[in-house]
Every structure is written in C-alpha cells, then in structure tokens.
Amino acid sequence: MNKNWKKAGVALSIASMLTLTACSNGSAGSSGSTAGSGGNKSGDILIGVQSPTTGSTAKMGQDMNNAIQLATDEINANGGINGKKIKLTFADDASDPQTATAAANKLVSEGVVAVVGGYASGATLPASGVYHNAGLPMVVTAANSAKIPAQGYNDIFLINGTTVHQGEVAADYMVDKLHGKRIAIIDDNSAYAKDLADQTKKAVESKGAKVVDFEAVNPDEKDFTTLLTKLKGLKPDATYWTAYYAQGGLLIKQFKQLGVPGAIGVGDGANDPTLIDIAGKQAAEGTFVTTPPTAEFLPDAKKFINDYKAKFHQDPGPYSALSYDGMRLLADAIKRAGSTDKNAIIKALQDTNNFKTFAGDVSFKKDGTLKKSNFIVLLVKNGKFTLPQQ
Amino acid sequence: MDMFIQQLTNALVVGAFYSLIALGYSMVYGIIQLLNFAHGDLYMVGSFVGFTVLSLFSGQPGILGVAVAFLASMLVVGLLGMGVERIAYRPLLKASRLTILITAVGVSLVLENGTMLSYGPSFKVYPYQLPTTGFHIGNATITFAQIGIILISLVLMIGLQTFVHKTLYGKAMRAIAIDQTATSLMGIPVNRIISMTFFIGSALAAAAGMMSGLYYGQINFMMGFIVGLKAFTAAVIGGIGSIPGAMVGGLALGILESLGTIYLGSEWRDVFTFAILILILVLKPTGLLGEKTTERM
C-alpha cells in the first residue's frame, strides 16, 4: 500500500527470518531454504494455515486445523487440483498479534501460495498485512472485525460475515420478521459489542424503524432492573443484546421477570448454552440469536459432521464448517486460476461467483467481504438453540 | 407512580446487598482502622459456599435446604474471616496502617485466585434460584424474592445493632474502638473481640453473597471486586466506622445508582457512584451520619 508499510513488512520479514535461522532446529531451517519455490520441488501446492493452537483459544485453532485437513484430504483423494496434491503447512498465531506476525512471516518464508485461517481479529489484522505485502491471498474463516476489510487490501477475503452483516441480519429479523417498529439495543461497552450495536442501529434505522433505547451497561453489572424498568415504559417491540452470554442470561431473566414487552434477542457473543442456564429455561424460551453458521444447524452439513466425527472422534467446533468451506473455496479458486501464480489466485477469488458452501452461496464485494450475509437466526425452544421452521 | 415503586424496589434490593457488605467494612475499620479490601471477596466466597452446599441437595432443596445453605455459608465464611484476621492481619496490628492495607489487597488476590483454581474461571449457574412469582402494583412487578431479601437484610442489620448496643460483647467492641490499650488493661480479651468482629462482618458479607447468588442466579470468582468497592463507597457515604451509617449508606447508594441509571444512562452508573464518593470525601469526609469526633462502631 504505502512505503512505510512495505518497509515495515520487509523489516519484519528479515527479522523473522533471522529469528528462524537463529533459534530453529534443522527441520525449520530446511523449510526456510525452500523459500519462494512454492513447494514445487515435489509438485505439490503448498498452502499455509494460520490458527491459534496454543493459548486460551487453542481449542478453536485445533478445530479449524482439523476441518481444513479434512477438506484437503478429500480434495487430494479426488485427484487434487489440476493433477497436483495440496500440502498444508501450519503456523500457530496463539491469537496474539506478535505471535501472529511471526507465524505469518514463517508461512511467507516457506513459500506458500495462499493462506487460509485466522481466528482472532486481533491476530488476523497484523498477519493480513504481512500476507498483503508478500502478495499472498488469504481466506479468513473466523475473524470478523470490520477493521480487516477496512484496510483496503484486495487480497484478503472474509467468508465469515462481519459485524455489518450481523447487524443487518438482526435488523431484518426484528423489523421484517417480528414487524418491530420500536427497537432497543443494549451493549456492554466492549469494542466488539459496541461495534455490533452501532451497525445494528444503522441497519434498523435504514429500514425505517425507530431505535427507542440505545444504551451500554457496565461490563460487571448484574442488576439491570433499573434499565429494564425504564425500557418497560418505552414499550419496545424487540430488544437486542450485542455482548456476551454471562450478562445476556441475566438480562433475559430480569427482562422476563419485570415483564418488559416485546421479543428479546442476542448476538453471536452470547451464543452459548450457558446463556439458557443462566436465564432459566422458561425465561429463555423464544429468545432469538444471530450467529455465524455452525455446522450443527446447517442442513447440508450432515455428511461433514459425520466425516469429521469419524476422523477426529469429536464434534466439530463452532468455526469448523466455515474453515472446511474456506479451504474448499480456496482450492476451487486455484483450480479456476489454472496456476499457482498468486495474482491469478487473487483474481480467481475476486471472481468467485456463488460458490456453494453449507451456509449459502459465496460471492465477494470489492472489499473482500461477503455480498450476501451468511449469518443465521436461531430460536431458543425447549431450552435448546434450534433453527426456526421456515 | 408505578415506575417510582418499581425503581424504589430495585434500588432497595441492590442497596440491601451493599449495606450488608458495608457493615463488615465499617466494623473492621471501626475496631482496628483497617480498610479490609478483601471484604468484597468474602462476599464472593459466601456465594460459592452457598453454591457448593446447594449442589449437595439433589433436586429442589426447598426452603429448609436454602436455610441450611444460608447458615452454612455464613458460618464457613465467618470462620474464614477469623482465619484471615488471625493469619494475615493480627501479626501486623502494630505495624503501620499501609502495611496492613497492602496485606488486605494480597488476601483479596489469594481469595480470588483460590476460588478460580477450585471452581474454574467460568460463570457458574446457581443450582437453585428464587422463584420469580410476585404481585403487581399497577404496572410495577414486585417479587416475593425481592421482599424476602429486603426483610432478611433488615433483620440481620437490626440484630447486629441490638448486639452491639445491648450485649456485653458489643460494649467491649465499642470500647476497643475507642482505646485498644485501655480496654486490654481492663481485662478484656481484645484479640478475641477483634476475632469476633471479623466473624460477624464476614458472615454478613456471606449472607449478601448467598442471597445475590439466589437472586441473580449467576456467580463468578471476580464478582466481589466491584461490589467490594461499592460497599466501601457505601460505608464512606454513611460515615465509615458507624453501623447505622453503613446501613443508610448502602441504601442511599442503591437509590443513587438507580437515579444515575435513569437520568444518565446505564453506562454512567459506576461513574455516578464514584463521583458521589469523591464529593462526600471532599465536602463531608465524615459521611452522612458521621460527626466530628465520631464514636466508631
């Protein structure tokens, strides 16, 4: 993009290569020596996977890696891409910006032709800069901060909807499905929740409905009764909580207890069964949840779930289906590009036209985000999250 | 009017929790001039002990089960408070107040992290929660649980006030607050009385913790931190060291917070609370019920 970024990128690459050679054992050193060769030596297509496999989100990274491995094995079993097999190389970003930058440099130096992965936005953001400077395409499968596309890179593609998409889906549901004219939006002042609340407000207002209450609570607050008493007087048709499950459960409970009218719903940060436990089964009944597509709620993903269980002896995680689809999308793009040239792959990704995934058809906007949101709305029924009957 | 009744009930419930915890703050400060910053964590431990005891009952524990858990929680945490005083504070009673204050912060960290290690860092759902039935006054909903919490708190507070003013032990506590050395010269076992003060203060915090768990239904090892700060604020508002002050301060804080939420919005609730704390410290450092030369206790 601009000179400073390039300089920083070069400096970082050199620094990381130095660290690699300085402190790595023989195997890493030898992989470093194939830099720039694209893994062509063996005739394979080398694809990098960036995910957190250590740290507090290690489980998510493992889930993603499993799903990507599953997709790769299937593609290879079906003859690979244009006669070549896919080879994966994994890099751990620990959901940490610094580790992520080192991981990204590792992948670049190994000579991958594209990258798939990215869980935490905070880690994906700096890594995407490294890939962009190296001219590498990246398919982001989980991170969804609106800041990633805002960088204006033409080679980063998000197959997970952003907060903009989620806000739209929430607004569609509350205004169109529930015929809501008076909407209340509550967040907890955290960056993510605030962002989602802002986007939802924008979407609700653009649909002609009124936001009657737009408020934030303190992150440690347990007692929402004062706020809800006020809300009760405002008679909202629907109330939307954009932060996390622990407080969300309490909010729902007290909402029902005080008898605030209208529906209540939560964003994906509150998509956790504990939400229902905290609120209580009765109070939680009918709560709507906007969430990225998780495998268990996607009718087409049955086979994927079974294959995944058979191979890894565990249930797929929340981002497994997206990771699986991300790898398939990338393979499809390389196939369409007809070569492993980075620019050709980027072009092919940009030209993606209604690629079929579990969560719907994928096409990209100019900024690399989805043209059509893949967020889904779940309803709490009998104490469980369920897909509403269409 | 409906809204007013509703908000007042909300404020009184929150205020009752603050008052019960503020009492412990005030008593300990009154008797040994220590701001016991671990006090909020005793409230947290109280709710975890209640959680553990309630988990032992299979199915619905009923009123009797809740009462058992309630008393067990008060007893265990009361003893824990005594232990903390014996191990962490008593050796430092003659040291400067700053040393003992820092120790209190250390105790707070030990309690928080100890609970985290034993129960895990995630939110726990209370095994039994108070029923949400109640009655309506116009548009306002008042649940029996809310009335119960307010009543139990009042009973505990009145009981404490009677104890301090009508019994020999209470007299000894008040005497120590005035002059520790002179009291010990009169043959009063000072350490035992201090120990007892910690027991009572901690048990009251545990009562609040248990009721908060039953009422909100969700607990977490960090829940004591902010509540402890609020209770401290309540104690200062009422006049730290004074028992009626702690009660009035807690209820006043609950009402002030509700006003802050109504007129400024929820995100300003804590700002409002701590702004009041600063105002009180500047304008009337002795608190609402404090006098110039206040008799602590």
Side-chain angles (χ1 to χ4, degrees):
Chain A
M1 276 300 281
N2 64 45
K3 265 189 189 154
N4 283 339
W5 270 110
K6 266 191 188 156
K7 271 188 202 158
V10 170
L12 279 172
S13 325
I14 293 173
S16 77
M17 274 162 91
L18 283 176
T19 14
L20 266 180
T21 21
C23 62
S24 62
N25 55 23
S27 71
S30 69
S31 69
S33 68
T34 60
S37 67
N40 284 338
K41 196 169 51 182
S42 51
D44 292 339
I45 299 171
L46 189 63
I47 290 178
V49 179
Q50 182 201 325
S51 61
T53 48
T54 58
S56 56
T57 52
K59 163 137 196 331
M60 297 297 180
Q62 202 51 57
D63 290 345
M64 289 167 66
N65 287 0
N66 285 348
I68 291 168
Q69 187 70 57
L70 183 67
T72 308
D73 291 349
E74 282 176 18
I75 294 162
N76 284 342
N78 288 331
I81 304 171
N82 303 330
K84 287 181 182 172
K85 294 260 191 288
I86 301 174
K87 207 174 144 222
L88 296 177
T89 173
F90 296 91
D92 171 28
D93 70 15
S95 282
D96 165 66
Q98 259 176 315
T99 319
T101 310
N105 281 309
K106 170 183 174 270
L107 293 178
V108 170
S109 67
E110 282 181 48
V112 299
V113 298
V115 179
V116 58
Y119 172 70
S121 296
T124 309
L125 213 52
S128 62
V130 176
Y131 301 131
H132 175 73
N133 286 325
L136 282 176
M138 178 186 197
V139 175
V140 180
T141 55
N144 65 358
S145 164
K147 282 188 185 150
I148 300 172
Q151 297 174 107
Y153 300 155
N154 63 345
D155 40 18
I156 311 292
F157 302 88
L158 288 86
I159 68 159
N160 190 13
T162 62
T163 45
V164 179
H165 292 119
Q166 187 169 184
E168 282 166 4
V169 167
D172 285 351
Y173 187 80
M174 291 189 286
V175 179
D176 297 345
K177 263 263 163 65
L178 302 175
H179 309 293
K181 296 199 172 53
R182 303 166 60 81
I183 311 290
I185 302 169
I186 307 168
D187 68 85
D188 74 344
N189 261 334
S190 65
Y192 157 77
K194 187 105 225 143
D195 189 26
L196 179 54
D198 288 340
Q199 300 301 346
T200 310
K201 181 168 189 265
K202 231 184 271 173
V204 165
E205 281 169 351
S206 77
K207 291 177 106 35
K210 201 173 155 209
V211 175
V212 290
D213 196 22
F214 186 72
E215 259 192 271
V217 299
N218 290 308
D220 287 316
E221 193 57 69
K222 276 193 171 187
D223 200 303
F224 306 103
T225 43
T226 312
L227 162 71
L228 290 171
T229 303
K230 189 170 96 184
L231 198 59
K232 190 175 174 182
L234 293 170
K235 296 194 172 48
D237 298 319
T239 303
Y240 187 50
W241 165 253
T242 62
Y244 304 97
Y245 68 86
Q247 278 184 302
L250 287 178
L251 183 79
I252 293 170
K253 184 174 162 183
Q254 294 169 21
F255 184 93
K256 291 287 164 68
Q257 208 167 313
L258 280 173
V260 184
I264 185 160
V266 297
D268 66 334
N271 180 9
D272 188 302
T274 319
L275 176 89
I276 302 170
D277 290 342
I278 294 173
K281 238 174 147 181
Q282 251 184 344
E285 192 72 11
T287 303
F288 69 88
V289 187
T290 55
T291 172
T294 47
E296 69 222 85
F297 298 114
L298 299 169
D300 298 334
K302 287 251 154 43
K303 183 180 172 307
F304 163 73
I305 295 177
N306 290 336
D307 291 352
Y308 189 100
K309 278 187 184 161
K311 193 163 176 141
F312 302 108
H313 309 291
Q314 63 184 42
D315 288 329
Y319 288 97
S320 297
L322 278 169
S323 301
Y324 178 83
D325 278 337
M327 185 64 218
R328 285 178 49 238
L329 168 71
L330 183 60
D332 176 72
I334 298 174
K335 196 171 189 175
R336 281 185 283 120
S339 82
T340 53
D341 177 61
K342 291 161 189 167
N343 289 323
I345 301 175
I346 294 172
K347 177 90 183 32
L349 278 168
Q350 283 166 344
D351 293 343
T352 303
N353 185 21
N354 289 332
F355 178 79
K356 282 232 164 317
T357 68
F358 297 139
D361 297 347
V362 167
S363 309
F364 291 110
K365 284 193 225 169
K366 249 192 137 77
D367 64 357
T369 59
L370 292 173
K371 261 189 192 155
K372 211 177 94 205
S373 166
N374 61 3
F375 275 91
I376 53 174
V377 179
L378 302 176
L379 284 179
V380 177
K381 217 174 153 191
N382 300 323
K384 279 205 178 68
F385 293 116
T386 50
L387 201 62
Q389 302 302 319
Q390 294 299 323
Chain B
M1 188 61 197
D2 300 347
M3 280 299 141
F4 175 75
I5 294 172
Q6 182 82 71
Q7 297 289 22
L8 188 68
T9 321
N10 300 341
L12 285 180
V13 171
V14 182
F17 291 142
Y18 291 157
S19 293
L20 283 177
I21 309 167
L23 280 170
Y25 255 114
S26 252
M27 286 169 71
V28 168
Y29 180 80
I31 201 157
I32 56 171
Q33 286 89 58
L34 161 68
L35 292 176
N36 183 11
F37 278 119
H39 197 65
D41 295 297
L42 290 170
Y43 154 87
M44 176 271 293
V45 175
S47 71
F48 271 89
V49 174
F51 171 84
T52 314
V53 177
L54 280 179
S55 306
L56 296 178
F57 297 102
S58 49
Q60 292 292 354
I63 293 291
L64 196 68
V66 172
V68 168
F70 195 75
L71 293 176
S73 164
M74 284 179 76
L75 182 70
V76 171
V77 176
L79 292 175
L80 177 70
M82 279 170 75
V84 165
E85 188 268 335
R86 181 70 192 81
I87 297 167
Y89 300 151
R90 197 180 294 175
L92 295 169
L93 276 182
K94 300 273 183 291
S96 82
R97 291 299 101 179
L98 187 61
T99 319
I100 194 164
L101 188 76
I102 292 167
T103 315
V105 175
V107 170
S108 156
L109 290 174
V110 169
L111 290 176
E112 277 168 20
N113 290 297
T115 310
M116 189 194 77
L117 285 176
S118 330
Y119 290 89
S122 54
F123 289 88
K124 292 268 173 287
V125 179
Y126 236 57
Y128 173 77
Q129 291 171 22
L130 294 173
T132 53
T133 48
F135 55 88
H136 300 272
I137 301 177
N139 219 354
T141 315
I142 295 167
T143 64
F144 297 127
Q146 288 177 317
I147 295 173
I149 287 171
I150 297 170
L151 284 182
I152 292 176
S153 308
L154 279 180
V155 167
L156 288 173
M157 289 186 236
I158 293 168
L160 176 70
Q161 184 72 348
T162 317
F163 178 81
V164 170
H165 284 280
K166 296 276 150 74
T167 65
L168 211 57
Y169 287 105
K171 204 176 240 175
M173 281 165 76
R174 284 182 292 146
I176 292 174
I178 296 170
D179 191 332
Q180 221 183 86
T181 326
T183 315
S184 75
L185 289 175
M186 296 297 135
I188 291 168
V190 171
N191 281 340
R192 230 167 60 212
I193 302 291
I194 293 179
S195 212
M196 192 185 67
T197 310
F198 268 88
F199 180 89
I200 297 172
S202 309
L204 290 176
M210 172 85 195
M211 286 198 286
S212 141
L214 285 169
Y215 182 59
Y216 296 118
Q218 171 242 64
I219 57 173
N220 168 263
F221 74 99
M222 281 302 291
M223 68 191 268
F225 177 71
I226 196 84
V227 174
L229 279 184
K230 295 273 181 70
F232 169 67
T233 309
V236 172
I237 288 178
I240 193 155
S242 143
I243 287 177
M247 302 179 201
V248 172
L251 296 177
L253 188 64
I255 291 167
L256 282 171
E257 280 197 351
S258 293
L259 291 179
T261 307
I262 297 167
Y263 293 111
L264 297 170
S266 295
E267 64 262 59
W268 295 100
R269 183 174 182 156
D270 286 359
V271 177
F272 196 67
T273 307
F274 295 120
I276 298 277
L277 172 66
I278 295 169
L279 270 182
I280 292 272
L281 285 174
V282 171
L283 298 176
K284 197 168 186 311
T286 49
L288 292 179
L289 299 191
E291 290 155 27
K292 210 156 193 185
T293 47
T294 172
E295 179 197 353
R296 295 186 303 262
M297 286 320 266

